[in-house]
Structures are given as structure tokens and as C-alpha cells.
Amino acid sequence: REMRQTTAMLNAIACGVVISACEKAGQWELALDVLSGMKLCGPEPNVVTYSAAVSACEKGHRWERALGLLREARLQGLRPNAVTYNAAISACEKGEQWERALDLLAEMHFGTLEAGLVTYNAAISACGKGLRWEWALELLRELLWLRLSPDVITCSAVVSACGQCERWQHALLVFRAMLSRGLQANMVSCCAALSAHERGGQWERALGLLGGMPQAGVEPNTIAFNAPITACEKGGQWTWALGLLRTMGPAPDAVSYNAAISACARSEHWEDALHLLQEMRSAGAAPNLITYNAALSACERGGQWQKAEGLLQEISEVHLTPDVITYGAAVSACAGGGRWRRALALLGDLRGLGIRPNGVICNAALSACQWAGHWAQALALACGMRDEAIELDATTFRALAAVCDRRRQCGSVRGVLSEVRGGMRLRCKAVAVERERRIAPRCR
């Protein structure tokens, strides 16, 4: 009997070693085949073999299978340990299943299993991927309350979670706290902090952090450079954006070029924007719709309607599908160049694609008609906006009044304005009634 027990134990260990080998090799299906063979022919699987199988599913990004194995182990009368739960929580993290990860963490507490730093790191990462920054911070507080010492992985996950949810102040507070605890920043934490600076509009601090990365032993990669370039673009610092692009050690990608082109567009440097577009092609980075929209915006602001037309044609040639931003920039460029017929034609093309124009595009076309003195087209466009329930704002009314006044058609514009105002009054009354309905219960 002892020999049979020893043989069964050795066989179970051997099977566990095979499953672990499959896990390390990324062969989750083979690991499950071995586990199935154990259930059919013996030896009987134990907690160790189930843990290895759950870990194999985790590495294979199969969170459903991992949770299924965890349930199966319980049904077999086995008591999963911390290793099993850690693998299952990591599987949920990779599958962006933050709620299930928190449920598993709660199960560990109820089952008196000790949740360690690895457990909390996986749960925090799951919350980050699920854009649940509040839970990530709460888990960090809980971790500290349990007297566990957060490491750079913990802090990086929290910084990333807060940064992705536009909570850049919280992200930077955690990053600074990490450094004050003597933890060495890594690429993940630095990139998360740079992204937080970018979202917070702190381009100078982003530049400072980027410059300090080599001294911290972290060589900036393309992602690290992209955040400060974007921060400079948002801050109107086009020279800094271009300087960073030129001095990048790693090869710039589409995001790098898009941010730099947008920086040029914001500062009305259309020639630099188009030069970057050409440079991007030569570097082998394929321009996408964001790239072309930024270049179109630069041409619009620079009054280069011919260049805008060329870019619109190029978008079609490279088989990209233009959107409302594309047409908005093209219509505005044509309107600025006095090409009112082309502006109206582009508006028609946009509708032909099944895309509903917004007020900005319609106002641009209306302004083109105004400057050309075509009151009939302007009124028709305004009536179309009214019929499509596109908001008519002060820009619309000014353009209508100006064109009709020039052509002595005040009666026509008064009729349109009267209808529009009547509709606006009805909408305002409906909004007021809805607001009253919502507020009344609170006052009882």
C-alpha cells in the first residue's frame, strides 16, 4: 500500500511538472489535456496541479478557463491556496475583468487566505485596465493598512489607472510618493507619470521628467517621448514639439508625428505640418486619418484651400474613410478661400457618406455664402440646418443677417429667424419642464 501511495504521489508530482512546463511554454491547451488525462486515468489532480493549470490559462489569456478550473477544484473538495487565487486574479487582470478580480480578492479574505503583494498588484492592475481609479487607490490604502510595502509595480499600476481616468493630480501624487519612499522608477511608472503631465497640461514638467529619465537609469522609448510632444502640442509649444521629434533616440511612430503636426497646425505653421507629413512617409510611418486631419487643420488655418483639396484627394487614394473632422477642416479651408460652391459640394459629399454635419461645418459653408453674397443659398442652408435639428448659434444668425442685409433681403431672413426662434422657444420650454420634473422630487 505504501508503495502504491508513493507511486501515485510521484505520478502526481510528474504530472504537475509537465503542466508547469506547458505553462512556461505558453501551451495552455496542452496543460488542460494533461489535467483531463489525470482526471480520467489518474493520479487524482491536487491543488498544485490545478494551480499550475490555472496559471497556464492565465498566461494564455484565458480568464474564463482559469475561473472554471478554480470552481472545479472547489467542487472536487480541494481548497485552493494563495498561488491558485493569484493566478486566477492575474487571469482576470489580463482579461480586463476587474469586478471578478475584486470578487476573488474578497473570497481570499473570507477564506482566511493571506493576500500578498502579488495579489494586490494584480487586482490594482485589473482596476486600472477597467478604468476604475477609485478602486485602485482604495486597494493601495488597504495594502498599506495591512502593513504591506508597495513596490514599483504597485505604484506604476496606480499611477497608470489614475492617469487613464484623467485623474492626473492623483497620479502625480502617487508617483512622487513612490520616489519619496526610495523606490526606483521604471519605464512603466515614468510613462504613466509623463502621460499624467500631458493630460494635466504641464508640458514643462513633462520635459523635466523626460530629461531626468536617463539619470534614473531609464532610457526613454518612443512612448515616453510621445507624451511630452503631445503636452507641448496642447500647450501651443510647437518649437519644443518639433525639437523633441528631431532629438528622439528611438524611431518616431505615427503618434509622434501626429502630435508634432497638430502642434504646427495650432500655431498656424502649415508648411512645417506638410513637411512633417512628407517626412513621415519617407520614414516608413504610415499616415492615418488623425495625421491627415491635423494636416488639413493646418492648411485651413493657413488659408491653403488648394493644399486642403489635395490632402482630401490623397485620403481617398490611400483608402482611408474621412470623418466629420476631415470634412469640417476641408469645408472651412474652402470657405476661407472664397470657394463657396466647393464648400457646399463637400457638405453634400459628407451627407452622401451618411454622416450628419455639425453646426461648425454648416456655419463655415454659410460664411462662404455670406462673403460671396449668395443669400438664397445661405437661407436654404439655414433652413436645412433647422430641418436636421442642427443647432443654430450666434455665428449662424450673424452670417444670415449680414448676407441678407447686403442683398436687401431682410424680409426673408426675418421669416427664417422667426421660425428658428419659435423652435428654440419650444425646445427651451421642454428643457425647463424636464428640469422641473427632475428637481421636484428632491424638494419634497
Side-chain angles (χ1 to χ4, degrees):
R1 185 188 300 173
E2 287 180 6
M3 288 182 65
R4 281 197 296 269
Q5 288 177 346
T6 303
T7 302
M9 184 181 68
L10 289 173
N11 287 340
I13 293 172
C15 289
V17 170
V18 171
I19 292 175
S20 295
C22 294
E23 169 221 332
K24 291 180 174 64
Q27 300 293 323
W28 66 272
E29 291 171 306
L30 190 55
L32 294 187
D33 287 342
V34 174
L35 186 67
S36 297
M38 290 178 70
K39 286 184 283 188
L40 288 173
C41 308
E44 189 175 334
N46 56 22
V47 172
V48 176
T49 48
Y50 268 107
S51 297
V54 171
S55 185
C57 292
E58 174 253 320
K59 288 185 169 57
H61 298 268
R62 302 290 170 173
W63 65 270
E64 303 99 325
R65 293 291 187 94
L67 296 188
L69 289 172
L70 186 64
R71 286 192 295 269
E72 186 181 300
R74 291 198 207 95
L75 291 173
Q76 295 295 326
L78 298 173
R79 188 172 181 268
N81 57 24
V83 176
T84 322
Y85 274 99
N86 287 349
I89 292 173
S90 294
C92 292
E93 177 251 321
K94 289 181 178 177
E96 301 183 10
Q97 301 294 316
W98 67 274
E99 291 175 298
R100 288 182 169 86
L102 294 184
D103 288 343
L104 291 173
L105 182 60
E107 281 183 23
M108 290 184 72
H109 291 313
F110 289 136
T112 65
L113 286 174
E114 185 177 346
L117 189 60
V118 174
T119 317
Y120 276 96
N121 285 352
I124 290 170
S125 295
C127 292
K129 289 184 178 179
L131 303 181
R132 300 291 170 173
W133 65 276
E134 307 100 319
W135 278 107
L137 282 177
E138 184 59 35
L139 289 174
L140 178 61
R141 293 189 193 100
E142 186 178 310
L143 184 151
L144 293 169
W145 183 77
L146 291 171
R147 300 185 182 280
L148 293 172
S149 297
D151 59 10
V152 67
I153 297 172
T154 320
C155 297
S156 299
V158 177
V159 172
S160 180
C162 294
Q164 289 180 72
C165 297
E166 306 292 335
R167 300 289 172 173
W168 58 271
Q169 300 98 327
H170 294 84
L172 295 176
L173 280 173
V174 174
F175 182 72
R176 291 178 192 130
M178 179 189 78
L179 297 179
S180 68
R181 293 175 70 94
L183 293 173
Q184 184 71 33
N186 61 8
M187 183 65 74
V188 176
S189 58
C190 286
C191 286
L194 284 167
S195 181
H197 280 308
E198 176 251 309
R199 287 187 167 97
Q202 299 179 325
W203 62 272
E204 291 170 298
R205 292 192 176 187
L207 291 176
L209 178 55
L210 181 70
M213 284 177 68
Q215 285 79 12
V218 183
E219 198 62 35
N221 59 11
T222 303
I223 297 172
F225 271 96
N226 287 346
I229 293 173
T230 304
C232 291
E233 175 250 320
K234 291 178 179 177
Q237 303 295 320
W238 72 279
T239 51
W240 274 107
L242 287 185
L244 286 173
L245 187 72
R246 299 283 180 243
T247 57
M248 282 181 68
D253 61 7
V255 177
S256 318
Y257 279 108
N258 290 350
I261 292 171
S262 293
C264 294
R266 279 176 180 261
S267 303
E268 300 183 8
H269 288 81
W270 65 271
E271 290 173 307
D272 291 295
L274 294 185
H275 177 74
L276 284 173
L277 179 61
Q278 182 57 43
E279 181 184 309
M280 184 179 180
R281 295 193 199 96
S282 302
N288 53 28
L289 191 61
I290 297 173
T291 319
Y292 282 106
N293 285 349
L296 274 165
S297 179
C299 293
E300 172 217 334
R301 296 186 184 196
Q304 301 296 315
W305 65 268
Q306 300 100 325
K307 300 287 186 185
E309 286 270 28
L311 288 173
L312 195 61
Q313 179 63 32
E314 191 175 317
I315 289 173
S316 176
E317 290 172 356
V318 295
H319 306 295
L320 291 173
T321 303
D323 59 10
V324 70
I325 298 173
T326 316
Y327 275 96
V331 169
S332 295
C334 291
R339 311 285 293 182
W340 67 274
R341 286 190 179 87
R342 183 57 181 152
L344 292 180
L346 288 173
L347 198 59
D349 292 344
L350 182 64
R351 288 192 175 97
L353 290 172
I355 303 173
R356 181 175 177 268
N358 57 28
V360 175
I361 299 176
C362 292
N363 283 343
L366 196 67
S367 296
C369 295
Q370 171 209 333
W371 290 113
H374 293 281
W375 66 270
Q377 285 81 2
L379 287 178
L381 185 53
C383 290
M385 292 173 69
R386 176 200 60 199
D387 295 340
E388 291 183 80
I390 298 171
E391 184 179 358
L392 285 80
D393 57 16
T395 304
T396 318
F397 294 138
R398 278 197 298 268
L400 278 173
V403 70
C404 291
D405 183 56
R406 284 176 63 186
R407 294 298 180 182
R408 303 288 190 270
Q409 296 293 332
C410 294
S412 300
V413 76
R414 282 197 198 99
V416 174
L417 292 178
S418 177
E419 290 184 41
V420 169
R421 284 169 182 156
M424 289 176 71
R425 278 195 294 270
L426 287 174
R427 284 196 294 273
C428 289
K429 186 175 181 181
V431 170
V433 169
E434 177 64 17
R435 186 179 179 188
E436 181 70 21
R437 187 184 68 79
R438 290 181 180 178
I439 293 175
R442 301 178 194 169
C443 302
R444 290 173 186 168

